[in-house]
């Protein structure tokens, strides 16, 4: 009898470690999103994508698991753009019995989250997350349906070379890099791929996130004749960089500021100074994949505009999770993890499969701010507007 009880207790503990309670009425998903702090403008857009996807699933009765349907219970906590709080919030979700984590934005926050997901053996899906190096640590529970630094860097030069005659390309490049893992990583790829394709790195400057004065590196770029500027600032830093470029009368012909220019706050705060800047969220409302039209209609009804660029990837994350749960056929974290790994589907972000390291085979696009709107400019075959080049001087806008 004692032996039987021990076996039942062991089985119960195992069940608690990997599964939702068999009497669960909902599928709990833990989202930790920066709704305040330096990433707030992007984090709130991402949450809109999550919300719309969950609403759509629940309106249809929930996710089919075996012969039952379970509604999704999206549990959202704000990490305030602080990686330490990302960790704490994810632990809170684990204690609440979530089946999966879905992350916020910012590679530093995702990198912190990935370690907790691995420790707790809870599948983690994250977009707004281009850092590749975290995927080289052997994590099994980390999945990112988002293009990574090597693909982004390579496509930067493909855009230029595919859009401009050889003698018009802005070959002198200034890298203004945030002193973070992602800044160093993508800066290295921009540098190596640029040299391979005939571009010269005339400046490679680093700054601490939250800096207030970027004048030294801007003047350095200006004095060396930099024609292109590439960077990955958070939104407040990106806006400050552009304002100081304008004050210092330096207008690069080609300006890429990933992440910093992703949200609508860019145009609201910078006006015409924000035009010509390129961003790379990997998605645009004009893409023709299934459910994009429905997503735009819902977003327009709620927010009076087409879906912002981070909304689509957020919606796609929930699509991937729902598909995996249904294929897993059980409310079991490990089975869901394996189903995510085997994903082969078309989301609102396009066709997607995961590699063994959790990175995704997924298309990417570039968007450019033009007259206060975000236009899809690359690849050409899906563009909503031609790539605008060279940038007009700030004084003439």
């Amino acid at each position: 009898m004692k032996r039987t009880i021990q076996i039942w207790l062991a089985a119960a503990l195992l069940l608690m470690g990997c599964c939702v309670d068999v009497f669960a009425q909902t599928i709990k998903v833990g989202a930790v999103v920066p709704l305040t702090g330096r990433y707030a403008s992007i984090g709130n857009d991402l949450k809109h994508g999550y919300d719309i996807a969950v609403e759509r699933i629940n309106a249809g009765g929930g996710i089919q698991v075996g012969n039952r349907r379970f509604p999704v219970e999206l549990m959202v906590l704000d990490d305030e753009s602080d990686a330490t709080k990302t960790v704490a919030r994810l632990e809170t979700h684990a204690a609440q019995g979530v089946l999966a984590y879905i992350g916020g934005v910012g590679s530093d926050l995702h990198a912190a989250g990935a370690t907790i997901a691995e420790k707790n053996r809870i599948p983690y899906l994250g977009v707004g997350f281009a850092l590749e190096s975290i995927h080289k640590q052997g994590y099994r529970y980390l999945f990112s349906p988002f293009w990574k630094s090597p693909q982004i860097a390579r496509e930067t030069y493909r855009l230029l070379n595919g859009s401009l005659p050889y003698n018009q390309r802005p070959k002198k490049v200034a890298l203004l890099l945030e002193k973070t893992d992602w800044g160093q990583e993508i800066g290295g790829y921009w540098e190596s791929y640029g040299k391979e394709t005939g571009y010269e790195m005339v400046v490679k400057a680093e700054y601490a996130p939250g800096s207030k004065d970027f004048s030294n590196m801007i003047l350095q770029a200006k004095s060396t004749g930099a024609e292109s500027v590439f960077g990955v600032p958070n939104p407040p830093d990106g806006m400050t960089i552009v304002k100081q470029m304008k004050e210092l009368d330096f207008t690069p012909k080609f300006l890429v500021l990933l992440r910093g220019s992703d949200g609508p706050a860019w145009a609201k705060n910078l006006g015409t100074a924000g035009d010509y800047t390129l961003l790379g969220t990997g998605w645009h409302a004009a893409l023709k994949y299934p459910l994009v039209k429905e997503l735009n209609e819902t977003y327009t009804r709620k927010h009076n505009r087409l879906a912002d660029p981070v909304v689509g990837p957020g919606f796609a994350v929930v699509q991937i999770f729902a598909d995996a749960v249904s294929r897993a056929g059980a409310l079991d974290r490990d089975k869901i993890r394996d189903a995510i790994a085997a994903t082969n589907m078309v989301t609102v972000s396009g066709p997607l499969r995961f590699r063994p390291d959790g990175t995704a085979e997924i298309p990417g696009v570039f968007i450019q701010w033009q007259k206060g709107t975000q236009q899809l400019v690359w690849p050409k075959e899906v563009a909503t507007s031609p790539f605008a080049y060279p940038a007009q001087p700030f004084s003439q806008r």
Side-chain angles (χ1 to χ4, degrees):
M1 183 66 176
K2 183 177 180 182
R3 178 63 176 167
T4 302
I5 292 171
Q6 289 174 335
I7 292 170
W8 277 104
L9 284 172
L13 289 170
L14 179 62
L15 183 67
M16 291 172 63
C18 65
C19 308
V20 166
D21 191 323
V22 293
F23 301 108
Q25 299 301 307
T26 63
I27 293 174
K28 294 180 180 180
V29 179
V32 177
V33 184
L35 303 177
T36 56
R38 66 193 190 281
Y39 297 139
S41 61
I42 317 172
N44 281 277
D45 287 341
L46 181 65
K47 181 179 178 295
H48 294 326
Y50 291 159
D51 287 340
I52 292 171
V54 169
E55 287 169 11
R56 180 179 178 277
I57 289 169
N58 289 345
I63 300 174
Q64 186 76 38
V65 184
N67 60 1
R68 287 186 59 187
R69 281 189 173 272
F70 294 83
V72 176
E73 182 182 352
L74 181 64
M75 306 168 72
V76 181
L77 294 174
D78 177 16
D79 62 14
E80 304 170 42
S81 304
D82 182 330
T84 302
K85 293 178 181 178
T86 303
V87 169
R89 306 295 188 265
L90 289 172
E91 293 288 23
T92 297
H93 280 322
Q96 294 169 330
V98 299
L99 263 181
Y101 294 134
I102 54 178
V105 293
S107 288
D108 53 333
L109 304 186
H110 285 297
T115 62
I116 302 305
E118 199 68 18
K119 177 179 77 72
N120 293 335
R121 295 178 60 190
I122 297 175
Y124 184 104
L125 285 157
V127 293
F129 174 25
L131 183 69
E132 180 194 41
S133 61
I134 195 71
H135 290 272
K136 305 305 180 185
Q137 299 185 25
Y139 291 160
R140 296 187 67 252
Y141 291 83
L142 172 63
F143 300 92
S144 181
F146 197 81
W147 58 341
K148 296 294 172 179
S149 298
Q151 186 181 0
I152 294 173
R154 192 178 293 111
E155 285 299 314
T156 305
Y157 296 109
R158 285 180 177 167
L159 183 158
L160 287 171
N161 296 344
S163 303
L164 302 171
Y166 181 83
N167 61 356
Q168 293 181 22
R169 296 172 191 168
K171 294 181 181 177
K172 292 186 176 182
V173 179
L175 301 176
L176 308 186
L177 302 172
E178 183 180 83
K179 196 178 294 184
T180 58
D181 289 346
W182 186 36
Q184 293 171 4
E185 177 183 274
I186 196 167
Y189 282 116
W190 269 327
E191 186 173 16
S192 62
Y193 292 153
K195 289 178 179 177
E196 289 174 9
T197 50
Y199 291 78
E200 178 188 3
M201 305 297 118
V202 294
V203 173
K204 189 174 183 180
E206 290 187 323
Y207 64 90
S211 298
K212 303 301 181 185
D213 185 2
F214 301 92
S215 58
N216 283 341
M217 62 183 191
I218 291 171
L219 289 172
Q220 188 180 0
K222 182 178 180 180
S223 67
T224 55
E227 301 165 287
S228 295
V229 171
F230 303 161
V232 291
N234 62 55
D237 289 354
M239 293 176 200
T240 302
I241 287 171
V242 169
K243 288 176 182 176
Q244 292 182 7
M245 282 181 175
K246 182 178 180 180
E247 291 168 0
L248 296 169
D249 192 30
F250 171 57
T251 306
K253 294 178 180 179
F254 181 63
L255 178 62
V256 179
L257 293 178
L258 304 177
R259 187 176 60 187
S261 58
D262 287 358
W266 185 260
K268 181 178 179 181
N269 285 283
L270 292 175
T272 59
D275 282 343
Y276 296 95
T277 309
L278 276 89
L279 55 135
T281 62
W283 189 83
H284 188 275
L287 292 171
K288 304 300 182 184
Y289 299 120
L291 295 184
V292 171
K293 182 175 182 291
E294 180 180 332
L295 171 57
N296 279 318
E297 289 171 351
T298 303
Y299 198 81
T300 299
R301 189 167 64 249
K302 289 174 175 285
H303 303 284
N304 200 33
R305 63 179 185 271
L306 294 177
D308 295 305
V310 181
V311 174
F315 188 98
V317 162
V318 179
Q319 285 184 288
I320 295 163
F321 172 73
D323 172 73
V325 172
S326 185
R327 285 186 291 105
L331 302 184
D332 180 294
R333 290 170 179 163
D334 284 325
K335 289 183 179 179
I336 292 169
R337 179 262 163 218
D338 292 344
I340 293 173
T343 296
N344 187 356
M345 66 182 297
V346 178
T347 71
V348 293
S349 292
L352 178 140
R353 293 188 303 176
F354 288 109
R355 303 182 183 96
D357 64 1
T359 61
E361 297 176 14
I362 191 169
V365 302
F366 277 113
I367 297 166
Q368 186 179 40
W369 281 99
Q370 298 180 4
K371 297 181 179 179
T373 63
Q374 293 174 320
Q375 297 293 334
L376 179 58
V377 296
W378 185 262
K380 286 183 179 180
E381 57 269 23
V382 296
T384 59
S385 178
F387 167 49
Y389 177 89
Q392 284 189 329
F394 289 115
S395 59
Q396 297 178 20
R397 298 182 192 178

